Amino acid sequence: MKKILAIAIIILISGQCYSQQILFHKDVKDTTMGKVGPNLKNFHHFYIGFGFIGGDNNGAGNDIVLGKSTNFVFGYRYKLKICKHYAIGYDLAFNSYTFALEQKKGKIFPDTILHNKKETFSYYNVGLSPYMRFNYGRRGNSIGKFIDLGAYGDWTYTARTFAKDKVENGNIVKITTSNLKYINSFNYGALVRIGFNRWVIFGSYRLSDIFKTSDTYNFSELPRTTLGLQVGIHK
Amino acid sequence: MIRRLLLTLLFCSLGMLAMVSAQNSKYWVFLKNKKSVTFDPYSYFDKKAIERRIANGISLVDSTDFPLNSIYETSITSLADSVSHSSRWFNAMCVYASSEKIEEIRNLPFVSDVELMESAPIACSVEGAGWDTTLNASMTSILEKQTKRMGGDLFENAGIDGKGIRIAIFDGGFPSVNTSPVFEQIRKENRIIKTWDFAKNKEFVYGYMSHGTMTMSCIAGMIKGKKIGLATGAEFLLARTEVKREIFSEEENWLAAVEWADKNGADIISSSLGYTYQRYFQNQMDGKTTLVTRAANFAARKGMLVVNAAGNDGDNDWHIVGAPADADSCLSVGGIDPITDFHITFSSLGPTWDKRAKPNISTFGHVAAAGKNGMQQVDGTSFACPLAAGFAACAWQMNRSLKNMQMFLEIEKSADLYPYFDYAHGFGVPQASYFTENKKQISDTSFDFVKKEDVLKVMVRQAYLDKKTGGFQSHLYYNIQDTDGLLTEYNVILVSSNEVLSFRTSNYKKGEKLNVHLGSYTGSYTF
């Protein structure tokens, strides 16, 4: 519809009148190099990613199940090209971390109760991540091969624990606990990415602590490392 | 602790991976000269290549055909990790080397330049791929139209099938060309002269991507007595130059293949590949920057007719023809839709970045082609290109005295819109009648320009409307050309009454031109 309107306007402006049906119309655009493109001055796109949380289970009562502890991210990425091999940029992203908690003797996080189906701890963030990008290899107007080094800062807008049990009569009991008082609202860390065009392997390391330390709560930190894959939503 | 170590290692390996891949890269190393080399054209060239050179008035002893200096080659080989290919035309070697070694190579006194290489993808789509031996009604209809639209029946009636013309096809593989009934006659008559896989450096090419099988069928395939392409009697050189599906092409392979084709006597190169945004910027589509474009022009200088797909970027940000279709001497082929008979949306458009007119001609961008396991309907200028290459072989068979670039111009002149041109259709679809009847059909004037005061009208003659039997004869093409000869807009409209167009002349600058084509008549009006 927009196209038809545009054609109609062009025709009116150019002073041409048609009594016939237009099958095909092209205006020849000025060929100037744009400023927005994968390897032009500015580029931005959305992306989606999924990763696994890993690291040392230190046996301090909050061991996680590796492979089931995951990270999801959906974000917007902006890149400003400084020169052929160097760019800077930032991500604005929504992300979530879900830790599958091992149910075994000695567990203390979030409590000592063992659940027979599963128990998870999740927190959800919005965050900003500035980064530097080092491109290598020859490329045209495409993102090409790159390594990103950066940092992230996340604001945790909600966190919760979830427990699921099968009780004696066969019923399933699910318990969600939110408004957790022992969670820090902000966390930050370092990130590294290696990518080729839309495909990106990412890793992040949380430098801040998730848990507040107080007389009431004194949980050991959960694993800090995440590794995963992101896919840029662009050509 | 172990897990922490493992994760640290993983992080490190990511970094290392990046560093390693950055270190051992592929480079073109260009040499300064060919001092002290000897060359015997009679032992190097195929007999057919010598004949083509003589026919085109090209010297048999041209320094660009001389081999590389062996001392230089040895020096570079000793420094490089490995040597992939070398190019006589560009006096260059393609090598793998670390960044330190390439600096050493760059500093050799006989090296003129070093250029980093990468592989580059081009989008060409294959729709509805599947096993299908039968020809359904839709397939049969397309199949008949794709050659008939070029007047292929006239060539057939005249017994013209590209006999004696040698066509080199560059593609990603030719599975089942050695077994399929579609190519049976070609095999029986031993008309596949040579094959070479430039990706693996071996003779076998009958595997990998079926894209090459499909393009070859659009040049010379026969199914159930029906021609898929027009040059069913031609000879073939099959070169595998591309290494992945969705056509990851290697420019280096293309260069090696074009020299190989030259050496082995190719008359025509049919290449359904293009390099666009993955490797280049639009402003490099200027007909002289990319190596593959320069190689295509080189091939033309050697007497070969290079036919290349315009590209499939007409409906995305790239928009314009890719390399090497941007080469002056390359017959760039755009696609039309068999249903509407005008531009098919994905076919890349002209002009080139430096405003040269492209594509040159058009054929169907949606065709029936023979795949690995049967007939398929496929989309892409990849298939328009071989249809045109088959046409060119037939036209050249009828006019063997013509040189390659004369043939190029004759094919343009044969096209149904000629002398009308636009950046979507070029000169239109080439027509066999131009060659079989030895002239372009002159039709009656189909319209007039009528100017009254400030208004210019294009009036279709009643006789044309009365005679018109419908179909595509009622498509009117028009463009506006500025004083520099560049088109500022172009259109196709459907004619249904006498008064087709009107223009307020005061809206146009003095010297701007209106070009109109209807039926087979083209007229122009200068404002």
Side-chain angles (χ1 to χ4, degrees):
Chain A
M1 190 60 194
K2 277 182 185 171
K3 203 172 177 181
I4 293 167
L5 274 172
I7 291 170
I9 290 164
I10 289 161
I11 290 161
L12 284 173
I13 291 168
S14 64
Q16 298 166 22
C17 303
Y18 299 86
S19 58
Q20 314 295 343
Q21 187 186 345
I22 304 160
L23 301 173
F24 177 76
H25 169 86
K26 282 277 176 198
D27 282 313
V28 182
K29 292 172 192 163
D30 279 345
T31 44
T32 51
M33 286 296 286
K35 288 189 174 173
V36 180
N39 191 20
L40 299 178
K41 191 73 184 167
N42 300 283
F43 189 53
H44 52 93
H45 63 87
F46 289 97
Y47 67 94
I48 193 163
F50 184 81
F52 292 99
I53 301 162
D56 189 19
N57 275 335
N58 55 17
N62 59 358
D63 286 357
I64 65 166
V65 184
L66 295 174
K68 288 186 177 176
S69 300
T70 57
N71 159 245
F72 168 80
V73 61
F74 176 78
Y76 163 87
R77 181 165 295 153
Y78 170 75
K79 174 173 77 91
L80 175 69
K81 182 180 171 184
I82 305 296
C83 64
K84 191 175 171 185
H85 297 295
Y86 182 68
I88 55 172
Y90 64 84
D91 290 3
L92 279 173
F94 158 85
N95 63 69
S96 66
Y97 291 84
T98 299
F99 296 82
L101 303 172
E102 270 200 17
Q103 301 301 301
K104 65 180 185 186
K105 196 177 172 189
K107 164 181 169 283
I108 56 169
F109 174 72
D111 50 42
T112 54
I113 302 164
L114 299 181
H115 300 274
N116 59 28
K117 294 297 273 185
K118 71 170 181 181
E119 185 174 29
T120 60
F121 163 69
S122 308
Y123 63 102
Y124 300 84
N125 314 291
V126 286
L128 177 71
S129 336
Y131 65 89
M132 296 183 292
R133 174 164 297 182
F134 301 93
N135 267 102
Y136 57 96
R138 188 179 163 185
R139 67 197 192 282
N141 191 16
S142 65
I143 288 182
K145 298 174 196 163
F146 61 86
I147 298 171
D148 287 348
L149 297 175
Y152 70 86
D154 283 344
W155 172 64
T156 305
Y157 60 87
T158 187
R160 66 182 178 220
T161 59
F162 173 78
K164 187 174 172 185
D165 284 288
K166 191 172 187 179
V167 293
E168 281 176 4
N169 60 8
N171 288 340
I172 298 287
V173 176
K174 297 175 182 175
I175 303 163
T176 302
T177 310
S178 55
N179 200 17
L180 307 176
K181 300 298 181 194
Y182 48 82
I183 298 297
N184 281 318
S185 295
F186 291 94
N187 59 75
Y188 56 89
L191 62 87
V192 61
R193 291 190 288 257
I194 178 167
F196 176 65
N197 290 339
R198 73 177 59 206
W199 305 102
V200 182
I201 297 168
F202 75 94
S204 67
Y205 186 82
R206 181 169 44 77
L207 295 166
S208 61
D209 292 339
I210 294 175
F211 303 126
K212 289 175 182 168
T213 308
S214 71
D215 294 340
T216 322
Y217 306 106
N218 190 14
F219 298 123
S220 286
E221 270 306 305
L222 290 165
R224 297 171 182 274
T225 311
T226 306
L227 270 178
L229 179 74
Q230 291 177 356
V231 183
I233 304 170
H234 58 86
K235 72 174 184 179
Chain B
M1 188 63 190
I2 290 169
R3 283 200 181 108
R4 182 167 287 173
L5 266 174
L6 280 173
L7 281 163
T8 312
L9 277 173
L10 199 57
F11 267 99
C12 290
S13 62
L14 281 177
M16 290 296 286
L17 183 69
M19 287 168 72
V20 166
S21 37
Q23 275 177 353
N24 279 308
S25 300
K26 205 177 207 179
Y27 300 89
W28 275 111
V29 177
F30 296 91
L31 307 177
K32 280 183 181 165
N33 55 58
K34 291 186 177 180
K35 269 181 195 165
S36 319
V37 297
T38 54
F39 176 65
D40 173 14
Y42 295 98
S43 61
Y44 175 67
F45 289 121
D46 182 272
K47 190 181 153 204
K48 193 113 174 142
I50 289 173
E51 284 170 11
R52 192 192 66 234
R53 275 173 162 69
I54 292 167
N56 283 280
I58 297 166
S59 168
L60 289 178
V61 184
D62 181 336
S63 65
T64 58
D65 294 321
F66 290 5
L68 275 61
N69 181 306
S70 58
I71 299 168
Y72 299 171
E73 279 188 293
T74 311
S75 305
I76 291 168
T77 306
S78 67
L79 289 169
D81 242 22
S82 62
V83 176
S84 179
H85 288 111
S86 58
S87 165
R88 290 184 178 214
W89 291 359
F90 288 96
N91 196 21
M93 293 171 72
C94 185
V95 302
Y96 284 97
S98 67
S99 49
E100 293 81 23
K101 290 292 179 191
I102 203 66
E103 281 313 307
E104 284 186 48
I105 291 171
R106 193 194 298 275
N107 292 329
L108 292 170
F110 48 81
V111 170
S112 67
D113 196 15
V114 171
E115 199 174 286
L116 180 66
M117 286 192 69
E118 291 295 329
S119 59
I122 175 190
C124 286
S125 68
V126 177
E127 291 173 8
W131 217 102
D132 187 5
T133 50
T134 56
L135 288 173
N136 59 33
S138 152
M139 185 97 72
T140 307
S141 166
I142 294 284
L143 188 57
E144 284 169 355
K145 277 188 187 169
Q146 67 195 40
T147 51
K148 198 173 177 183
R149 182 65 180 82
M150 298 184 285
D153 42 347
L154 294 176
F155 278 145
E156 199 169 353
N157 295 340
I160 300 298
D161 59 2
K163 191 174 181 183
I165 304 293
R166 193 168 285 183
I167 303 173
I169 307 174
F170 300 170
D171 220 301
F174 302 88
S176 84
V177 166
N178 55 341
T179 54
S180 161
V182 165
F183 306 105
E184 193 177 357
Q185 199 61 26
I186 295 171
R187 289 195 305 273
K188 261 187 195 169
E189 294 169 6
N190 292 318
R191 283 191 279 114
I192 297 175
I193 307 299
K194 274 194 177 170
T195 61
W196 194 255
D197 180 343
F198 286 87
K200 296 199 168 179
N201 280 321
K202 60 181 187 180
E203 263 193 7
F204 181 79
V205 295
Y206 302 116
Y208 321 105
M209 289 192 289
S210 60
H211 191 269
T213 307
M214 290 190 275
T215 58
M216 183 171 174
S217 76
C218 289
I219 298 176
M222 289 273 284
I223 178 97
K224 295 183 177 173
K226 292 182 196 295
K227 287 193 174 198
I228 304 170
L230 292 171
T232 52
E235 297 172 355
F236 294 93
L237 300 168
L238 306 182
R240 180 173 177 252
T241 58
E242 297 160 37
V243 291
K244 280 185 190 169
R245 195 161 175 88
E246 284 299 321
I247 314 188
F248 263 81
S249 313
E250 294 285 355
E251 225 172 330
E252 165 211 352
N253 291 342
W254 204 94
L255 256 63
V258 78
E259 289 188 35
W260 172 81
D262 173 42
K263 181 187 172 193
N264 289 294
D267 296 298
I268 295 173
I269 290 170
S270 177
S271 154
S272 292
L273 65 84
Y275 297 90
T276 55
Y277 63 90
Q278 290 286 4
R279 189 182 173 96
Y280 295 112
F281 291 95
Q282 282 167 306
N283 60 0
Q284 293 172 307
M285 300 298 109
D286 59 1
K288 57 191 176 199
T289 298
T290 74
L291 207 56
V292 74
T293 295
R294 286 184 281 153
N297 280 332
F298 232 126
R301 275 172 49 192
K302 302 285 181 188
M304 291 181 279
L305 179 64
V306 183
V307 186
N308 206 96
N312 298 334
D313 297 298
D315 54 359
N316 65 35
D317 293 344
W318 182 267
H319 209 61
I320 61 174
V321 295
D326 65 325
D328 271 336
S329 307
C330 181
L331 189 71
S332 310
V333 187
I336 60 167
D337 188 323
I339 308 292
T340 63
D341 205 54
F342 57 83
H343 180 255
I344 197 160
T345 51
F346 56 76
S347 178
S348 295
L349 301 162
T352 56
W353 183 263
D354 58 328
K355 306 282 188 190
R356 283 172 300 109
K358 288 280 172 183
N360 302 92
I361 56 168
S362 301
T363 61
F364 279 7
H366 176 88
V367 303
K372 189 178 175 183
N373 298 313
M375 293 297 291
Q376 301 172 17
Q377 289 193 47
V378 287
D379 282 335
T381 55
S382 282
F383 310 106
C385 166
L387 284 176
F391 179 93
C394 294
W396 215 347
Q397 182 190 354
M398 293 190 75
N399 298 275
R400 282 309 271 155
S401 59
L402 293 182
K403 293 177 181 173
N404 62 330
M405 292 314 289
Q406 289 172 325
M407 195 68 240
F408 181 112
L409 295 175
E410 287 299 296
I411 290 168
E412 282 189 336
K413 282 182 192 170
S414 80
D416 58 356
L417 300 180
Y418 188 89
Y420 179 89
F421 176 92
D422 70 35
Y423 299 137
H425 307 91
F427 289 108
V429 181
Q431 297 298 309
S433 57
Y434 179 84
F435 297 99
T436 56
E437 291 160 23
N438 213 19
K439 60 179 180 181
K440 191 163 176 80
Q441 273 191 328
I442 306 296
S443 74
D444 296 335
T445 305
S446 53
F447 60 86
D448 298 291
F449 296 107
V450 180
K451 187 168 184 275
K452 265 189 191 171
E453 296 170 353
D454 190 29
V455 177
L456 175 74
K457 288 184 177 178
V458 177
M459 304 289 291
V460 176
R461 290 188 176 183
Q462 191 56 45
Y464 181 84
L465 286 174
D466 293 342
K467 202 169 66 178
K468 177 172 73 71
T469 52
F472 305 129
Q473 291 298 305
S474 51
H475 286 179
L476 181 143
Y477 295 74
Y478 80 90
N479 64 42
I480 304 291
Q481 199 171 9
D482 69 16
T483 48
D484 295 326
L486 302 172
L487 306 187
T488 55
E489 65 164 293
Y490 48 100
N491 305 270
V492 182
I493 62 172
L494 189 65
V495 173
S496 52
S497 64
N498 297 91
E499 193 178 321
V500 193
L501 292 166
S502 65
F503 300 84
R504 196 167 296 280
T505 55
S506 55
N507 288 338
Y508 296 89
K509 286 180 196 160
K510 194 179 176 188
E512 282 189 322
K513 209 186 244 186
L514 165 69
N515 302 302
V516 182
H517 179 93
L518 179 63
S520 47
Y521 174 72
T522 300
S524 295
Y525 180 89
T526 306
F527 291 104

